Amino acid sequence: QADGALPAFFAPSLDYGVYTFRADLPTDGTWALKFTAKIPGEAQPVAASVTFKVVGRLTPPQGAGAPTSSPTPLPNRR
């Protein structure tokens, strides 16, 4: 989203080379995860970004924690 930045938090992964993150994104749409890494042996940090699309988010709980609508089941992908 072009209207601002939101924090993303990296989460641990048991798979080598797999990086996961968590972010509380307020809307569906196209988002970009931008990051900078200091690579050992390199003089300058490396900057990169990953663009992804968020579709069909669940409605956040309101009031006593009850959802305002029923979640739509995702298709079974195996």
Side-chain angles (χ1 to χ4, degrees):
Q1 297 284 346
D3 58 349
L6 297 168
F9 303 94
F10 282 94
S13 173
L14 298 176
D15 297 321
Y16 180 78
V18 174
Y19 302 94
T20 60
F21 73 96
R22 180 186 64 79
D24 297 324
L25 304 175
T27 63
D28 289 355
T30 302
W31 291 84
L33 174 65
K34 297 179 181 183
F35 53 95
T36 304
K38 175 65 175 123
I39 310 296
E42 294 292 325
Q44 298 295 321
V46 176
S49 67
V50 177
T51 304
F52 58 96
K53 185 172 275 195
V54 175
V55 219
R57 292 181 59 242
L58 298 177
T59 308
Q62 294 179 351
T68 57
S69 65
S70 299
T72 306
L74 296 175
N76 189 2
R77 295 182 186 180
R78 290 185 184 211

